């Protein structure tokens, strides 16, 4: 029988056999019957080399086409068995599944990002600074007198004679002023550290967002404007703000800013300790002494700065009464945000 006829016959035969296969076992048997080293199809292929040379190219091509076709059909069939295996009882879909963990941003990160987004919308540029600072950046250049109580071991973690864990984000002001000329409008979020007793209100580390703007003719009214705009966007239109006179070595005048207690709306409650107000930040006009330390002309430039406590703001936003929860990372707590 001519080779091409045999090819046609074996094609029909294999196709019809494959169609009637109904179990994986039968399938495997059929596969080896034809495609093993001594299988019927393999043997037929071996006949190719005995054909007269002028017939070989056409026969070879047809044989290859068929081989590829059968390959495809067998793969398809194999796949259909695998699917049936899953659907056919090996997998019990009524069993409880394994729940995969859903990753989320930490609540402090969420609040921090919310704050940053609002200020970026008002033209601030984000800059970072090191957590480990020298006395110069953390204190001296910010006009802290040598004997200022904030330098006391109680508040500052010293890492050596001259290195400290920064106690606030204000040193970033100095670092930026040294490198750039006004106008500068910067936001510097980051971690700060204080050697304080740990309790529900304070922790040995927390987050601040520092903001500052230096240019010609920057006024306290600009500072008020930016902070009121921020508070309304973050807490809602109805939020009330209060500026209280205060003191920081690196600002003059200085203020602390409170918001109306968001729990009791000013009537007095545990959260605001019956004061009706909650402090969220310190701020002021940058002291000329700071400008002199970095070589800015205090006659020409003025600027404001503020530093807000991110943890504080997060406590207020979510109505949480213990700051330690943010650092213990109990998954039952974190999952709620
Ligand atoms: N650095 C001050 C603090 O940590 C806050 C502050 C920042 C005050 C900027 C005034 C201006 O308490």
């Amino acid at each position: 029988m001519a080779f091409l006829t045999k090819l046609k016959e074996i094609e029909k035969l294999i196709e019809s056999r494959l169609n009637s296969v109904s179990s994986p076992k039968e399938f495997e048997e059929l596969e080896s019957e034809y495609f093993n080293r001594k299988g019927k199809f393999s043997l037929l292929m071996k006949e190719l080399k005995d054909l007269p040379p002028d017939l070989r190219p056409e026969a070879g091509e047809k044989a290859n086409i068929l081989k590829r076709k059968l390959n495809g059909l067998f793969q398809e069939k194999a796949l259909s068995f695998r699917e049936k295996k899953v659907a056919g009882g090996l997998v019990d879909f009524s069993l409880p599944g394994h729940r995969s963990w859903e990753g989320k941003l930490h609540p402090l990160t969420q609040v921090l990002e919310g704050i940053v987004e609002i200020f970026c919308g008002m033209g601030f540029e984000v800059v970072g600074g090191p957590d480990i600072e020298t006395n110069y950046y953390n204190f001296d250049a910010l006009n802290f007198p040598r004997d200022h109580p904030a330098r006391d071991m109680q508040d500052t973690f010293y890492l050596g004679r001259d290195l400290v864990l920064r106690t606030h984000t204000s040193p970033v002001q100095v670092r930026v002023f040294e490198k750039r000329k006004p106008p500068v409008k910067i936001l510097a979020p980051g971690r700060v550290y204080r050697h304080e007793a740990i309790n529900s209100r304070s922790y040995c580390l927390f987050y601040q967002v520092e903001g500052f703007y230096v240019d010609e003719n920057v006024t306290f009214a600009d500072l008020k404007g930016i902070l009121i705009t921020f508070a309304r966007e973050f807490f809602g239109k109805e939020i009330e703000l209060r500026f209280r006179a205060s003191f920081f070595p690196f600002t003059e005048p200085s203020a602390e800013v409170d918001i109306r207690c968001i729990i009791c709306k000013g009537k007095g409650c545990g959260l605001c300790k019956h004061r009706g107000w909650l402090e969220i930040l310190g701020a002021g006009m940058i002291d000329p002494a700071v400008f002199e330390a970095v070589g800015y002309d205090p006659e020409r430039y003025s600027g404001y700065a503020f530093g807000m406590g991110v943890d504080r703001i997060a406590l207020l936003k979510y109505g949480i009464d213990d700051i330690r929860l943010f650092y213990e990372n109990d998954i039952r707590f974190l999952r709620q945000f």
Side-chain angles (χ1 to χ4, degrees), residues 112-288:
L112 188 69
E113 287 188 351
I115 296 171
V116 169
E117 200 179 306
I118 292 173
F119 282 105
C120 283
M122 299 194 282
F124 285 79
E125 175 195 343
V126 175
V127 160
D131 286 22
I132 297 174
E133 273 295 6
T134 60
N135 270 317
Y136 178 75
Y137 287 107
N138 199 77
F139 297 123
D140 297 335
L142 289 167
N143 197 34
F144 277 82
R146 287 255 162 228
D147 54 1
H148 194 279
R151 292 196 185 200
D152 195 299
M153 290 293 284
Q154 291 212 324
D155 292 318
T156 310
F157 285 111
Y158 282 90
L159 300 176
R161 265 183 63 80
D162 192 39
L163 292 180
V164 301
L165 287 176
R166 66 176 174 188
T167 58
H168 53 176
T169 42
S170 299
V172 182
Q173 290 185 39
V174 182
R175 290 185 173 273
V176 169
F177 297 156
E178 280 181 349
K179 284 206 208 86
R180 301 198 200 177
K181 291 273 152 276
V184 289
K185 199 172 188 184
I186 302 290
L187 205 64
R191 246 185 198 193
V192 303
Y193 306 81
R194 294 207 192 153
H195 194 279
E196 282 177 284
I198 292 172
N199 57 44
S200 65
R201 306 238 124 203
S202 66
Y203 200 67
C204 53
L205 64 94
F206 52 98
Y207 286 81
Q208 285 190 335
V209 173
E210 188 89 6
F212 48 96
Y213 176 39
V214 180
D215 200 352
E216 291 172 6
N217 304 316
V218 177
T219 67
F220 200 93
D222 295 325
L223 172 62
K224 278 187 88 168
I226 208 105
L227 292 177
I228 291 169
T229 308
F230 161 75
R232 288 197 183 137
E233 257 191 65
F234 191 87
F235 291 106
K237 285 248 171 309
E238 330 69 44
I239 198 77
E240 270 181 87
L241 255 66
R242 175 171 85 170
F243 286 72
R244 263 185 300 111
S246 183
F247 173 80
F248 299 101
F250 42 95
T251 48
E252 178 61 33
S254 303
E256 278 172 307
V257 177
D258 302 336
I259 57 167
R260 235 335 157 206
C261 180
I262 39 191
I263 303 294
C264 67
K265 307 267 182 285
K267 288 192 197 78
C269 69
L271 183 68
C272 61
K273 300 223 191 82
H274 298 276
R275 292 191 192 111
W277 295 93
L278 300 155
E279 185 198 321
I280 57 165
L281 62 91
M285 300 307 289
I286 298 169
D287 198 291

Side-chain angles (χ1 to χ4, degrees), residues 34 36-47:
Y34 282 89
N36 258 356
R37 222 156 45 82
K38 294 250 163 70
K40 291 176 184 163
F41 188 81
S42 315
L43 290 176
L44 182 59
M45 289 295 111
K46 282 191 187 136
E47 288 179 22

Side-chain angles (χ1 to χ4, degrees), residues 26 30 61 97 246 309:
E26 244 179 87
L30 180 68
E61 196 192 327
S246 183

